[in-house]
Amino acid sequence: MLAKVLSGAVIGIDAHPVEVEVDIASGLPAFTTVGLPETAVKESRERVKSAISNSGFRFPDDRITVNLAPANIKKEGTGFDLPIAIGLLCATQVVPAERLTRFLVMGELSLDGRVKPVTGSLPMALAAREAGLDGIVVPAQNGPEAAVVQGITVVPVNHLSDVVGFLRGDKQIAEVQVDLQALFDADRAEDSDFAEVMGQEHVKRALEIAAAGGHNLLMVGPPGSGKTMLARRLPSILPPLTFAEAVETTKIYSVVGLLDREQALVTRRPFRSPHHTISDAGLIGGGHVPRPGEVSLAHNGVLFLDEFPEFKKHVLEVLRQPLEDRRVTISRAATTLTYPASVMLLAAMNPCPCGYLTDPRHACRCGAPQIQRYRTKISGPLLDRIDIQVAVPAVPYRDLKGALPAEPSARIRQRVVAARAIQADRFLNTTVYGNAQMPNRLIKRHCALKADGSQLLETAITQLGLSARAYSRILKIARTVADLAGSPRIEAPHVAEAIQYRNWDRRRPVA
């Protein structure tokens, strides 16, 4: 007898419907799985056999063929255990076939019949809703994550017998519901605040501008100047995640298996800080079994690269495409996967190999050739994608003493949110979400300068030796400075402030 159960396979961060067909025919006992299954799926026959027997049901001693359709999609993971088991029970008329057509089923089985959690519940729930199904049957621990998707019924199960009882109508299982507003409200408090940082007011201002316009930023300063401390407080001034952003970010963490079981939704902007020994596959994604890298895990948040020049050069170079396209494309012989990677790049480095070139309290022992080699580890094309470059000097004692209270993150965030609202109206009906992503045609439209501002920029390019590529970057930064000031036009003071943030383009050393 033939039975069909609906399930799904995750490709990239999206789920695709998979029809699990189970056929039981006369013949010598055999269990064959076809449809491009990988090792974990093939091994499911042993888990399914033991789970069915230990749950009090009869496992058929016939020729069993399981087909996972469509056959051209690779099937990975242990989430096919439960649909295969239900298909076998349907084929032996233990479970009615009518209700199976209205639910998507997923879950791993233990040998005693318990249903264990799997990855990718959120993408599966979204696929079930798009397919017009009534609901999804998931392991109980995955229930809150799947329930984030509105418009479908989420049925949490702990045991194979629970699924059988639900499908036969013998057992009522309460569907999972989550309060989305409560999820966002419960995670509003920030662990770090700019009020804790004494001094470095100009760096805080640069971070505020970067947050307001979505600009990438590079901090250059000696050890102990507070670069890492400042970087870790950047998420506290970024605008709150929207629901759409939270869902897209959660999908990435769900398929990788990094979503906490008590966390139904990622409601804070991610902050990822990989070590400088990371490989290109770890940073961008890939591997034998492709999976998202750190740049995708930082989607809609911050990717912080400390000790920037210490990263392998070829690892840094692979960042160029994600920073430009806001996505990562991984090509393999059998498939091509695309992961989202809309991140703010925040980098920190020393001004020289020893770190003390700009520190008045320590003598630098590096020669000019050493400094040059150190700085050229960061290529021009990559540096071209970093709008703001700011010096972070050593903090003097009077600032460490903290006589004046520092401005809290909440107040800075208010200005950032207001500036982002202006940009949302400006770029309505476009794919641009911030000033940093403006192409040349939008720069010409929204970054027109008055005569005094144009003359100031011309003087800066001529006398300070700013590169030609710095021209558009300065205009974008000036546009963000004007937005923070609530000014519809870019004034000369806005241009003057923007010029400060292109330290690396000057002919003299960074200071």
Side-chain angles (χ1 to χ4, degrees):
M1 184 176 178
L2 179 66
K4 297 181 180 179
V5 182
L6 294 177
S7 189
V10 175
I11 301 176
I13 63 168
D14 297 315
H16 298 262
V18 171
E19 195 172 64
V20 180
E21 300 176 320
V22 179
D23 179 65
I24 302 178
S26 301
L28 293 174
F31 195 122
T32 306
T33 304
V34 297
L36 211 59
E38 53 97 36
T39 303
V41 181
K42 292 179 181 179
E43 291 175 346
S44 67
R45 62 178 179 266
E46 305 301 333
R47 295 189 295 271
V48 168
K49 182 177 180 180
S50 297
I52 289 178
S53 300
N54 292 327
S55 298
F57 306 107
R58 187 185 71 84
F59 187 84
D61 294 327
D62 296 298
R63 185 176 182 83
I64 300 171
T65 303
V66 177
N67 179 41
L68 307 176
N72 63 332
I73 297 177
K74 188 174 183 179
K75 319 304 186 307
E76 299 175 340
T78 56
F80 291 101
D81 290 5
L82 185 58
I84 291 174
I86 294 299
L88 283 168
L89 294 175
C90 179
T92 55
Q93 299 183 347
V94 175
V95 173
E98 293 78 15
R99 298 193 73 182
L100 280 177
T101 60
R102 305 201 301 269
F103 287 89
L104 188 147
V105 182
M106 62 179 294
E108 177 185 343
L109 288 173
S110 61
L111 299 185
D112 60 359
R114 287 180 294 111
V115 182
K116 303 173 73 174
V118 294
T119 59
S121 301
L122 179 57
M124 291 289 191
L126 291 168
R129 185 179 66 180
E130 292 172 3
L133 301 179
D134 290 348
I136 179 172
V137 177
V138 298
Q141 293 184 48
N142 294 130
E145 176 189 339
V148 168
V149 180
Q150 304 294 301
I152 62 168
T153 300
V154 177
V155 182
V157 293
N158 290 296
H159 199 274
L160 178 59
S161 58
D162 294 341
V163 188
V164 174
F166 172 75
L167 294 174
R168 293 172 61 174
D170 300 334
K171 184 172 185 177
Q172 297 295 322
I173 300 178
E175 64 177 284
V176 182
Q177 295 181 339
V178 296
D179 186 343
L180 296 178
Q181 188 58 48
L183 291 178
F184 281 93
D185 291 342
D187 215 10
R188 285 275 173 87
E190 295 288 347
D191 298 329
S192 303
D193 197 290
F194 270 111
E196 302 164 349
V197 182
M198 300 303 170
Q200 305 292 19
E201 297 303 325
H202 73 292
V203 186
K204 294 179 187 177
R205 173 63 175 175
L207 289 167
E208 177 182 344
I209 294 170
H215 302 282
N216 299 325
L217 185 145
L218 172 65
M219 294 184 290
V220 184
S225 57
K227 300 186 296 294
T228 302
M229 185 179 187
L230 287 160
R232 294 193 177 278
R233 281 152 181 76
L234 177 59
S236 67
I237 64 173
L238 290 174
L241 277 175
T242 64
F243 177 69
E245 289 175 330
V247 168
E248 192 170 31
T249 305
T250 305
K251 285 169 64 177
I252 300 172
Y253 281 74
S254 176
V255 300
V256 177
L258 294 179
L259 192 66
D260 294 336
R261 297 304 176 194
E262 296 78 18
Q263 184 181 21
L265 192 69
V266 175
T267 54
R268 285 190 183 186
R269 293 194 179 273
F271 181 90
R272 304 293 297 186
S273 180
H275 193 261
H276 60 78
T277 57
I278 193 171
S279 65
D280 52 353
L283 185 62
I284 301 300
H288 178 66
V289 178
R291 55 175 283 160
E294 290 290 334
V295 69
S296 293
L297 292 173
H299 180 59
N300 290 322
V302 178
L303 177 66
F304 176 49
L305 302 183
D306 202 1
E307 304 295 342
F308 200 32
E310 300 302 328
F311 286 79
K312 298 181 181 69
K313 190 163 186 176
H314 73 276
V315 173
L316 291 179
E317 289 306 301
V318 296
L319 271 177
R320 288 159 55 179
Q321 182 251 341
L323 291 178
E324 193 72 25
D325 300 337
R326 302 280 161 180
R327 62 179 182 271
V328 173
T329 301
I330 301 172
S331 297
R332 293 291 182 267
T335 185
T336 298
L337 302 177
T338 299
Y339 298 115
S342 180
V343 302
M344 274 186 63
L345 175 63
L346 181 58
M349 62 178 286
N350 296 329
C352 66
C354 76
Y356 296 115
L357 178 63
T358 58
D359 192 341
R361 296 172 296 185
H362 298 84
C364 174
R365 300 180 180 180
C366 304
Q370 289 178 289
I371 297 174
Q372 184 63 22
R373 282 195 302 270
Y374 180 73
R375 295 186 176 188
T376 53
K377 290 181 179 180
I378 305 171
S379 68
L382 178 58
L383 194 62
D384 189 34
R385 288 162 172 79
I386 301 178
D387 293 351
I388 299 177
Q389 304 144 9
V390 61
V392 186
V395 183
Y397 174 76
R398 65 177 179 276
D399 290 337
L400 289 174
K401 187 178 179 181
L404 297 176
E407 188 176 24
S409 293
R411 194 179 305 164
I412 301 174
R413 176 186 271 191
Q414 290 177 355
R415 297 195 295 268
V416 170
V417 170
R420 285 287 184 106
I422 293 172
Q423 293 166 54
D425 292 338
R426 177 183 300 135
F427 303 124
L428 193 65
N429 299 324
T430 71
T431 57
V432 177
Y433 76 89
N435 290 333
Q437 285 74 50
M438 281 192 292
N440 288 332
R441 60 181 179 84
L442 292 181
I443 292 176
K444 293 179 180 178
R445 182 186 307 173
H446 300 297
C447 300
L449 298 179
K450 292 182 178 180
D452 54 350
S454 180
Q455 184 178 1
L456 177 61
L457 183 54
E458 181 182 1
T459 302
I461 291 176
T462 303
Q463 296 187 3
L464 297 178
L466 298 179
S467 65
R469 69 189 179 197
Y471 173 75
S472 61
R473 306 292 175 183
I474 291 174
L475 289 178
K476 292 179 183 180
I477 299 168
R479 179 67 269 173
T480 303
V481 175
D483 290 341
L484 284 169
S487 173
R489 294 184 61 88
I490 300 176
E491 307 291 343
H494 305 147
V495 177
E497 183 174 0
I499 292 170
Q500 299 181 73
Y501 302 123
R502 297 299 300 182
N503 279 336
W504 202 282
D505 291 293
R506 303 182 185 186
R507 289 175 181 153
R508 62 182 177 82
V510 175

